[in-house]
Amino acid sequence: MLIRKPDDVRPSEITPETLYRNRRDFLKAAGFASVASVAGLGVSGCAEAEVRAASQLGPYDTDEEQTPYEAVTGYNNFYEFGTAKDEPARYAHTLQPRPWTVQVDGLVRDPKTWDLDDLLAGFTMEDRVYRMRCVEGWSMVIPWYGFPMAGLINKLEPLPSARYVRMETLVDEEQMPGQRRGFFGYTLDWPYVEGLRMDEARNPLTFMALGVYGREGPNQNGAPIRLVVPWKYGFKGVKSIVRISFVEDEPLNTWQQENSREYRFFANVNPNVDHPRWSQAREQRIGELFKRETLMFNGYADQVAHMYEGMDLRQFF
Amino acid sequence: MRREPFLKWVAKPVVFLLCLFPAARLAYDFFTGGLSFNPIDDVTDISGRWTLRFLLITLAVTPVRRLTGFSPLTRFRRMIGLFAFFYAMIHLAMHVIFGFVFDIGAVLRDIPQRPFITAGFLAWIAMLPLALTSTRGWIARLGGRRWQRLHRLVYVSAAAGVIHYFWNYKVTEPGPVLYIGLAALLLGFRLVTRMRSRSGPSAV
């Protein structure tokens, strides 16, 4: 896939918004709606949500049919609010996304705790329509709202010795009831930790999202700020971030800590490297009936494959 | 004999409809939007869970009769077992049709590669001869004793089934643990009674 720089796009090539919306309506009528009615998915409210996302498609956006707002915000993995897919939507109202602070520490010019709004000052928010592939085998197309992580890294000025960036989710049983010990005494070890190599974090695809569908929130999607790495499995997208550390050694991410046989650090979407218990060759796109084939690096190989040249992806999965 | 017409015309149809109810409810929910945003997964999950429930019910018949001297479900055990197979077929069909879009070769290649799938397939294949020989004709053809011995394959099916369910999850969930516990209890009962009857007189 050829990625054009924004200035390569002539104004005449840009689809007028009305046509663009009509096309979406057409696609919706022809495709999703029929499947959805068969599958019993609710599509009401979808049109309203689509309008919010009707920014022009940029060079990194997919033009695939966007997953309806109700599904994006009603079918989530966010164990801090429960392990069932509908629990984040039901319980995330207890999260207070403001006031919010983010501790920035480690190998960085000025380690300090930021008020989130100060941290966000100066960034222009944009929409990014990305595929999202969960390690469990389902996928969505989500219009994220936020800004590229590269800008945040430039602002924070990590030292040259920083090789990885490590991020943590809030720990607070009051706000995140799923963090309490369950009936069997079982939960993940909190805080939820994820990380990226610095070159991955600076990749133009890597995105800090404040919300979906053109605005901040809702809580169940990782408010007030979360990571989006579209070529990796969804669990890399650490949510409700309260700490960003620049470090020398590869961080131990939560799922690797939980089960290092099944989950490691990179978590790149790869149809050729199966999960030990199930195939990763196909995925259930939410809103479709039949599973579709999973693409290498979730379809972002042109933008990211160069970062993994020479690496054995069976070993570094 | 006086109660046979009641069994045939009332009790069995009632149990039959009860067993069919989860499937009807599932179909209704599927077509009216009562499931989650991933309805294919939901149908697969729910049909799989009903398979296990019906398997465990059939396994509970004998222990309940031994312990209480009375088991109202004995006369319905074959029917309930067939319903376990019915829900297993829905479960498997979802996997083959929607998961693999009828690519049978890929389905078969997948089976030995992943213990999770291997266990599920084992649970299903162990049920297959039981479903096929569930008729009165087959009982007569095999003879009660051999038929019974064959139908002990249900132990394999239940054990593999609950492990398959457990392996489906990323983390340890209470549900699968409960099913494993119930299966262990019901299969353990048979192990204990068998050991007792072997060491029989001397132990008593």
Side-chain angles (χ1 to χ4, degrees):
Chain A
M1 183 167 61
L2 181 68
I3 298 300
R4 286 183 298 198
K5 295 194 202 85
D7 57 359
D8 289 342
V9 182
R10 293 190 304 274
S12 60
E13 287 183 67
I14 296 172
T15 313
E17 187 169 306
T18 45
L19 266 184
Y20 165 78
R21 286 193 193 172
N22 286 343
R23 184 181 156 277
R24 287 230 159 271
D25 289 343
F26 169 75
L27 281 178
K28 202 160 56 194
F32 186 81
S34 57
V35 172
S37 59
V38 168
L41 296 185
V43 281
S44 60
C46 186
E48 181 249 0
E50 288 275 346
V51 171
R52 286 184 198 285
S55 55
Q56 291 295 337
L57 291 183
Y60 300 117
D61 293 328
T62 172
D63 63 357
E64 289 168 82
E65 184 68 15
Q66 291 168 27
T67 306
Y69 181 83
E70 290 76 8
V72 168
T73 61
Y75 190 83
N76 307 94
N77 270 333
F78 197 169
Y79 281 21
E80 281 81 346
F81 298 105
T83 55
K85 298 286 186 296
D86 61 335
E87 284 178 334
R90 277 160 54 201
Y91 301 125
H93 58 87
T94 48
L95 179 72
Q96 303 286 328
R98 291 290 194 291
W100 193 272
T101 57
V102 180
Q103 182 186 341
V104 176
D105 58 13
L107 306 167
V108 63
R109 194 181 65 83
D110 180 20
K112 71 172 201 174
T113 297
W114 293 75
D115 179 80
L116 179 62
D117 292 312
D118 295 336
L119 191 66
L120 298 178
F123 293 113
T124 308
M125 297 306 152
E126 54 183 286
D127 299 303
R128 285 282 177 92
V129 187
Y130 283 157
R131 288 177 287 275
M132 198 285 292
R133 169 66 156 79
C134 178
V135 74
E136 296 167 346
W138 53 272
S139 65
M140 294 184 176
V141 175
I142 303 176
W144 299 103
Y145 172 78
F147 60 102
M149 189 178 190
L152 183 66
I153 291 175
N154 290 340
K155 177 171 183 167
L156 297 178
E157 297 183 66
L159 304 178
S161 52
R163 294 177 59 224
Y164 296 89
V165 56
R166 176 189 184 277
M167 284 159 276
E168 267 182 34
T169 299
L170 175 72
V171 181
D172 184 341
E173 288 187 3
E174 297 300 314
Q175 293 189 57
M176 296 180 151
Q179 290 179 335
R180 294 190 191 119
R181 294 279 134 189
F183 180 64
F184 284 91
Y186 183 82
T187 57
L188 294 171
D189 272 336
W190 315 111
Y192 192 90
V193 173
E194 262 305 340
L196 294 172
R197 228 166 47 188
M198 288 303 288
D199 61 332
E200 296 177 322
R202 285 199 167 101
N203 188 285
L205 286 174
T206 308
F207 201 65
M208 303 304 296
L210 310 184
V212 297
Y213 275 101
R215 58 175 165 175
E216 293 193 19
N219 288 351
Q220 60 266 33
N221 290 81
I225 186 165
R226 54 99 36 100
L227 177 68
V228 177
V229 202
W231 71 94
K232 293 176 181 285
Y233 292 118
F235 71 82
K236 289 298 283 186
V238 49
K239 306 185 183 86
S240 307
I241 296 168
V242 294
R243 187 177 176 195
I244 300 174
S245 312
F246 294 94
V247 295
E248 209 176 323
D249 298 321
E250 185 183 288
L252 178 61
N253 50 321
T254 294
W255 279 103
Q256 180 172 202
Q257 182 187 358
E258 170 68 21
N259 187 343
S260 64
R261 204 177 69 83
E262 300 187 346
Y263 311 100
R264 295 277 168 86
F265 180 73
F266 284 97
N268 292 319
V269 175
N270 188 340
N272 307 312
V273 177
D274 290 329
H275 187 281
R277 286 180 288 152
W278 55 79
S279 167
Q280 293 293 26
R282 290 169 190 272
E283 67 197 51
Q284 179 79 55
R285 176 69 52 85
I286 299 301
E288 293 182 347
L289 277 180
F290 297 100
K291 284 195 181 174
R292 56 164 66 208
E293 288 185 4
T294 289
L295 304 173
M296 188 64 204
F297 294 115
N298 204 21
Y300 298 99
D302 287 348
Q303 294 95 316
V304 303
H306 64 90
M307 294 191 290
Y308 309 104
E309 262 168 36
M311 279 174 66
D312 179 1
L313 296 178
R314 292 193 171 274
Q315 189 188 345
F316 298 99
F317 59 87
Chain B
M1 292 307 282
R2 189 166 49 87
R3 286 172 65 223
E4 286 301 299
F6 173 81
L7 187 77
K8 189 176 176 190
W9 298 108
V10 181
K12 278 197 172 170
V14 166
V15 174
F16 186 91
L17 289 175
L18 279 176
C19 293
L20 205 54
F21 179 75
R25 169 90 196 270
L26 193 53
Y28 177 81
D29 284 345
F30 185 83
F31 288 107
T32 58
L35 299 174
S36 82
F37 291 103
N38 196 349
I40 303 295
D41 252 29
D42 293 342
V43 174
T44 311
D45 281 2
I46 294 169
S47 58
R49 236 170 281 159
W50 279 106
T51 305
L52 293 179
R53 284 175 195 150
F54 284 118
L55 274 178
L56 293 179
I57 290 172
T58 62
L59 284 178
V61 169
T62 298
V64 168
R65 194 182 51 216
R66 290 270 182 90
L67 293 174
T68 65
F70 168 74
S71 189
L73 287 180
T74 310
R75 305 301 296 266
F76 310 109
R77 182 161 53 180
R78 256 192 310 153
M79 189 203 290
I80 294 169
L82 273 171
F83 268 105
F85 187 70
F86 168 72
Y87 284 94
M89 284 306 298
I90 296 176
H91 185 72
L92 181 67
M94 296 301 290
H95 179 70
V96 173
I97 296 171
F98 297 107
F100 282 87
V101 200
F102 296 104
D103 187 346
I104 305 295
V107 173
L108 295 175
R109 280 193 301 278
D110 198 45
I111 291 167
Q113 280 176 23
R114 269 162 283 278
F116 158 61
I117 299 292
T118 316
F121 182 73
L122 183 65
W124 177 78
I125 202 92
M127 256 193 260
L128 190 60
L130 312 194
L132 293 176
T133 61
S134 64
T135 57
R136 284 220 181 91
W138 270 103
I139 298 177
R141 225 165 297 167
L142 287 170
R145 227 188 152 76
R146 272 202 307 181
W147 188 87
Q148 266 191 337
R149 204 173 298 156
L150 174 69
H151 279 241
R152 289 200 189 117
L153 270 175
V154 71
Y155 304 159
V156 175
S157 194
V162 293
I163 289 169
H164 167 72
Y165 184 37
F166 181 79
W167 278 344
N168 180 42
Y169 285 85
K170 281 201 293 190
V171 297
T172 307
E173 297 268 1
V177 173
L178 179 72
Y179 280 79
I180 285 184
L182 286 172
L185 202 70
L186 294 169
L187 295 178
F189 177 85
R190 289 165 169 85
L191 199 67
V192 170
T193 49
R194 172 155 305 193
M195 281 179 354
R196 277 215 188 138
S197 66
R198 276 212 184 136
S199 54
S202 58
V204 175

